[in-house]
Amino acid sequence: MTRFVVENRLVAGSSIELPDAAAHHARVKRMSAGDVVSLTDGCGHEASGVIERIAKREVAVAVGGIEVVPPATPLELFVPVGDRDRMLWLAEKATELGVTAWRPVMCARSRSVSPRGEGEAFGAKVRARMIGALEQSGGAWLPEVHPVVEVGDAACDARMPARYLLQAGAPRVDATHAASGAAVI
């Protein structure tokens, strides 16, 4: 079943317009009025829907019953700012795996990467890639995308009880550290 992420709150019995990208997707798949689709708002609400009408730039869907999917265990991914394509690939895979937050971090080596994945426009591309991954994987929760922070600010964030830095050549993290929530930075 084709799945679409919608920006609006899902309300059973309502009719919603899908965004332009979804309308394009529906046309490419040669969908028509009466086809059943799956909808999510990226905030844990899922619904089935039926296409009411489809035109060149719009698709209207009648929203059926809504189910609430409980949130996953919080897992924030701190991503070093790097090559755009690699970051977009990682955003896709992180969404498929259920990461709850995406936090790009500017490291010393990040500044030498070109073309670098940063800025407001790139953040929109990350979100679009995550939406595509959520539609494809059947997930119900879209990761929260945060702005770029400096590595020192990310390391000192006291809201996170456990932090793990994956670094080449670093000692292995054993189950004792992971279970205790110890910060390994």
Side-chain angles (χ1 to χ4, degrees), residues 20-71:
D20 288 345
H24 175 74
H25 184 99
R27 280 194 321 279
V28 167
K29 290 193 75 168
R30 293 192 164 100
M31 300 184 86
S32 58
D35 288 349
V36 177
V37 296
S38 173
L39 305 167
T40 183
D41 61 2
C43 297
H45 300 98
E46 294 182 320
S48 60
V50 177
I51 295 179
E52 294 178 314
R53 70 180 186 285
I54 187 166
K56 186 171 184 175
R57 295 194 180 264
E58 66 180 43
V59 175
V61 178
V63 180
I66 298 173
E67 292 182 34
V68 177
V69 177

Side-chain angles (χ1 to χ4, degrees), residues 91-93 95-96 128-139:
E92 182 179 324
K93 298 308 166 196
T95 302
E96 292 170 355
R129 184 68 65 98
M130 288 176 167
I131 287 171
L134 194 67
E135 289 174 343
Q136 201 168 21
S137 67

